[in-house]
Amino acid sequence: MENVNKKLFLENQMNSNMPKERKIKSNIAKIKRDKVLYFMIIPTLIYFIIFRVWPIINMRLAFFTFKTKGPWVFEGFKYFKMIFDTPVFFEILRNTLIISFMKYVLLFPLFVIFAILLNEIRSRGFRKYVQVISYLPHFLSWVVIAGIWISVLSPTSGAVNEILGWFGVTPIDFMTSKEHIRWVLFWSEGWRSIGWDSIVYFAAILSISPSLYEAAAIDGASRANVIRYVILPALVVPMVTMFILNLGFFLNAGFDQVLNFTNNSVNSAIDILDTYIYRIGLLNGQYSLATAVGLIKGLFGTALVLITHFVSKRFTGKGVW
């Protein structure tokens, strides 16, 4: 490792002292040498250009009236004023904030707890089995997941209402109840994500030095104390990083999930910004208005990430960068 570091250091020194023309030739030679690796990242670059960079460039549509022919007409902040003058927007924003809080804040500790519990399983074979079973739902589409949950929560033949019936509880139609539908979103998201989102924390636990466990054993620490004083401190950095990054998507309350779980009975309780954008943009053709809502979402997410990062830096010394 030391030899590799020395080699990289010497290459950097040579590059810094090299004339500009020679430096360009040297970089071209490196690209030719590693051309296979560059070809491998081309699909990823194309994806980000089409679905990330190009949409950011066309966020300017929020300030223009879209026309299929002829130049776009500059409208200033007209569409932003329309958004804030619409009472339904604030109801949708409220739904988005509530559902996002449930998913990104209330659900967050469950991923950490699951990773810790996974680490406590002594049998490696059984642990791998639990890991595979918990990861699988992540690879299912929301269409399939919605079908499973609608079937399980059915008031006539669903397993949940069957179990509730054993205790004399009247069957509940979870999918048409405004009181329960948000919790259906919460638990279905948890079921789908708990295995996948716990990978980061489980990897952090596995990277803990064995000497710390040995020192804890010598001191006579109980398993609870090992978790508290050895494992949890090792999870602070990934927890802070993941929490800050998740806040950047705070207004993304889950378009695919909500679209598959919604119906006329509960739509007013789970109608979120993403479904609102879909409705006014793609269905009604109000592209400028939809873009303005999307821009508000993006700016809000960016502000949350920056604020949380600097607050975390101030109090814990840890942040995203």
Side-chain angles (χ1 to χ4, degrees):
M1 192 68 186
E2 288 182 8
N3 292 333
V4 172
N5 291 332
K6 286 179 182 178
K7 187 177 179 182
L8 291 172
F9 176 77
L10 290 172
E11 284 185 2
N12 290 331
Q13 287 290 104
M14 288 174 65
N15 286 336
S16 62
N17 297 327
M18 215 181 274
K20 190 174 181 180
E21 291 183 3
R22 286 188 62 193
K23 192 183 292 186
I24 292 171
K25 289 181 180 178
S26 174
N27 290 333
I28 292 172
K30 286 180 182 178
I31 292 171
K32 287 181 178 178
R33 183 187 64 197
D34 299 326
K35 59 185 176 183
V36 175
L37 299 177
Y38 285 100
F39 277 122
M40 288 175 67
I41 66 171
I42 285 176
T44 304
L45 290 175
I46 293 172
Y47 169 82
F48 275 97
I49 289 170
I50 295 175
F51 295 103
R52 293 293 184 267
V53 178
W54 187 245
I56 291 173
I57 293 171
N58 281 295
M59 278 291 181
R60 61 197 173 95
L61 181 58
F63 303 96
F64 292 82
T65 295
F66 175 77
K67 288 186 176 182
T68 53
K69 295 182 180 179
W72 294 356
V73 180
F74 180 71
E75 299 286 359
F77 292 94
K78 170 186 172 182
Y79 296 106
F80 295 93
K81 187 175 183 300
M82 287 174 62
I83 291 168
F84 292 110
D85 287 344
T86 306
V88 71
F89 172 76
F90 293 97
E91 294 179 14
I92 292 169
L93 180 61
R94 177 175 171 271
N95 290 339
T96 306
L97 292 173
I98 291 172
I99 294 171
S100 292
F101 178 81
M102 293 172 72
K103 287 185 178 182
Y104 293 117
V105 179
L106 297 185
L107 201 57
F108 182 76
L110 297 184
F111 302 143
V112 181
I113 293 169
F114 182 77
I116 293 172
L117 292 176
L118 200 59
N119 183 62
E120 294 304 301
I121 298 175
R122 298 297 92 190
S123 170
R124 292 186 63 182
F126 183 63
R127 181 196 294 170
K128 289 181 179 179
Y129 173 78
V130 172
Q131 284 179 293
V132 171
I133 294 299
S134 62
Y135 294 165
L136 282 178
H138 176 79
F139 300 99
L140 299 177
S141 72
W142 275 112
V143 176
V144 176
I145 293 173
I148 294 171
W149 279 75
I150 290 170
S151 176
V152 170
L153 298 176
S154 170
T156 55
S157 58
V160 173
N161 277 301
E162 287 282 347
I163 295 170
L164 292 176
W166 299 344
F167 301 94
V169 179
T170 305
I172 302 168
D173 192 350
F174 293 96
M175 301 307 300
T176 60
S177 170
K178 292 182 180 179
E179 296 178 3
H180 298 93
I181 191 63
R182 287 174 182 161
W183 289 106
V184 173
L185 297 181
F186 174 84
W187 289 113
S188 61
E189 177 65 37
W191 177 74
R192 179 180 184 268
S193 303
I194 195 165
W196 184 262
D197 286 8
S198 64
I199 290 176
V200 174
Y201 311 114
F202 186 63
I205 293 172
L206 293 180
S207 67
I208 297 173
S209 173
S211 61
L212 294 176
Y213 292 112
E214 292 170 4
I218 292 170
D219 291 339
S222 64
R223 197 61 202 171
N225 285 332
V226 170
I227 293 172
R228 181 178 177 183
Y229 296 108
V230 177
I231 295 176
L232 286 179
L235 294 178
V236 169
V237 174
M239 284 172 64
V240 169
T241 304
M242 294 302 296
F243 186 73
I244 294 173
L245 292 175
N246 284 341
L247 284 181
F249 301 96
F250 196 75
L251 291 185
N252 291 349
F255 170 75
D256 293 340
Q257 182 190 25
V258 172
L259 191 66
N260 283 284
F261 277 90
T262 193
N263 54 67
N264 292 333
S265 300
V266 298
N267 190 56
S268 60
I270 60 173
D271 193 17
I272 58 174
L273 288 175
D274 286 333
T275 52
Y276 181 61
I277 292 170
Y278 168 73
R279 193 164 57 250
I280 64 175
L282 293 180
L283 298 185
N284 297 336
Q286 298 178 348
Y287 302 118
S288 298
L289 191 61
T291 306
V293 178
L295 184 56
I296 291 171
K297 271 185 56 184
L299 292 174
F300 186 82
T302 303
L304 274 178
V305 169
L306 291 174
I307 291 168
T308 314
H309 166 74
F310 289 117
V311 170
S312 176
K313 273 279 190 181
R314 174 71 177 82
F315 291 101
T316 67
K318 305 292 182 182
V320 178
W321 63 86

